[in-house]
Amino acid sequence: MHRRRLGSELRRLRESAGRTHREVAAHLDCSQGKISQIELGRVPVRTSDVRLMAEFYGATPDELSSLVDLAQDSKQRGWWQQFPSTAQRPGLQTYLGLETSAKAVSCYGADPLPELLQTAEYSQALLSTDAHVHGPDELAERLTVISTRQQRLLGEHPLELWAVLDESALRRAVGGPGVMRQQLEHLVLLGYRRNVTIQVLPFRVGGHPLMSDRIAVFSFPDDADPQVVHLGDSANSRFLDKTVDTADYLKAFEQVCGLALSPKDSSAFISAIADEIPL
């Protein structure tokens, strides 16, 4: 997030100064591609380069100081980087960075259930069948990462989560009847939290705008930071932050929310499915 904000501010200053990527690249003696990647927040940037760029754009002392602070903050390691298997997955690192910085996350997808809503037993049963999890150590690590992420739903300023769950995710008995019944009961309890909204999209709705998509929308405390739409899963991620790219997905998510059951009716629906599972 610090890199994205830094890149956005550098792009704003460059455009205000009427400078092109080519001119900036020549000033820094680097490629135009590097300047573009910096402005998109996709690569780390040295404090010395930030100073050169800011001075080239005629930034004020206060603007320069703010940019240098952002550059230094962008070098901080994320909490997830202590976990080897997570640190080796760039898409997941980006996802966790956005989730950690976000004030709200909205998501939709068919099964499995979102990790923020999973019980430990459900997560373990799911990961135990994942071909990309190699051995008990990595399994334990992945479970720790999920548990750490779920802490964002707690505390004085918790993450706001709006999840639309496909009925298929509620009916697939991951881990067997006992694990699944406990998971469904957990969803009902989570729905009582003021920062968690759960809706169910039942089969009877039929086709809808996000049929082939798994989507998460990240919103941030600073309104200057645009919403980011994530498509796919951690192994096949796309991140969109330009309005021209995100508008259709945001509209589609809103339409899916309109088609889904209300939170109250969703709670009753989940409870009814749980009651169908034998004790």
Side-chain angles (χ1 to χ4, degrees):
M1 277 305 302
H2 292 304
R3 285 209 305 261
R4 291 180 67 243
R5 189 172 299 139
L6 174 62
S8 178
E9 286 299 304
L10 288 170
R11 181 174 65 248
R12 180 185 63 80
L13 287 171
R14 177 182 60 77
E15 292 173 347
S16 296
R19 299 293 189 177
T20 66
H21 282 166
R22 177 178 296 179
E23 291 173 327
V24 182
H27 186 70
L28 267 65
D29 192 23
C30 67
S31 69
Q32 295 182 52
K34 177 180 176 178
I35 304 302
S36 177
Q37 292 295 299
I38 288 174
E39 291 186 354
L40 290 171
R42 293 178 179 170
V43 295
V45 55
R46 296 179 300 182
T47 303
S48 58
D49 286 342
V50 170
R51 289 184 181 278
L52 286 172
M53 295 168 77
E55 291 167 356
F56 191 51
Y57 303 151
T60 66
D62 286 345
E63 287 174 328
L64 175 58
S65 176
S66 177
L67 291 170
V68 169
D69 288 344
L70 279 174
Q72 292 173 340
D73 289 341
S74 71
K75 297 176 183 178
Q76 295 178 5
R77 289 171 57 84
W79 60 264
W80 55 89
Q81 290 178 308
Q82 64 184 295
F83 301 103
S85 68
T86 301
Q88 293 170 7
R89 302 163 69 191
L92 180 57
Q93 284 198 67
T94 302
Y95 189 100
L96 295 181
L98 292 169
E99 185 180 89
T100 300
S101 302
K103 71 172 182 180
V105 177
S106 303
C107 60
Y108 166 77
D111 52 356
L113 293 166
E115 291 178 334
L116 290 175
L117 300 178
Q118 295 175 7
T119 64
E121 294 76 12
Y122 182 99
S123 297
Q124 181 163 355
L126 193 65
L127 290 171
S128 295
T129 63
D130 190 333
H132 298 98
V133 177
H134 306 289
D137 289 344
E138 185 171 343
L139 174 61
E141 179 185 310
R142 295 278 292 275
L143 289 171
T144 300
V145 170
I146 292 173
S147 176
T148 302
R149 291 170 59 194
Q150 291 174 346
Q151 296 304 306
R152 285 291 323 278
L153 296 176
L154 308 174
E156 187 176 352
H157 301 289
L159 177 72
E160 298 169 21
L161 178 64
W162 191 304
V164 180
L165 308 178
D166 194 273
E167 183 177 345
S168 62
L170 305 175
R171 294 196 177 277
R172 189 175 301 281
V174 173
V179 169
M180 200 60 203
R181 186 183 181 99
Q182 181 188 45
Q183 173 64 73
L184 295 176
E185 292 170 348
H186 180 64
L187 291 176
V188 173
L189 292 175
L190 283 174
Y192 288 110
R193 294 186 180 176
R194 60 182 175 82
N195 60 306
V196 178
T197 301
I198 296 176
Q199 290 185 268
V200 173
L201 190 68
F203 289 145
R204 64 174 180 265
V205 167
H208 59 83
L210 292 175
M211 280 284 290
S212 59
D213 292 304
R214 189 172 189 88
I215 180 176
V217 180
F218 300 95
S219 303
F220 305 98
D222 191 332
D223 292 336
D225 292 324
Q227 289 178 301
V228 176
V229 170
H230 170 262
L231 301 174
D233 54 32
S234 58
N236 183 25
S237 292
R238 291 176 58 206
F239 297 93
L240 311 175
D241 61 1
K242 295 181 179 178
T243 302
V244 67
D245 297 323
T246 61
D248 287 343
Y249 287 105
L250 296 176
K251 181 180 179 180
F253 182 79
E254 184 177 348
Q255 291 173 337
V256 167
C257 289
L259 292 170
L261 300 176
S262 69
K264 181 178 179 180
D265 289 343
S266 295
S267 180
F269 190 90
I270 295 170
S271 294
I273 295 178
D275 289 341
E276 296 173 7
I277 300 175
L279 293 172

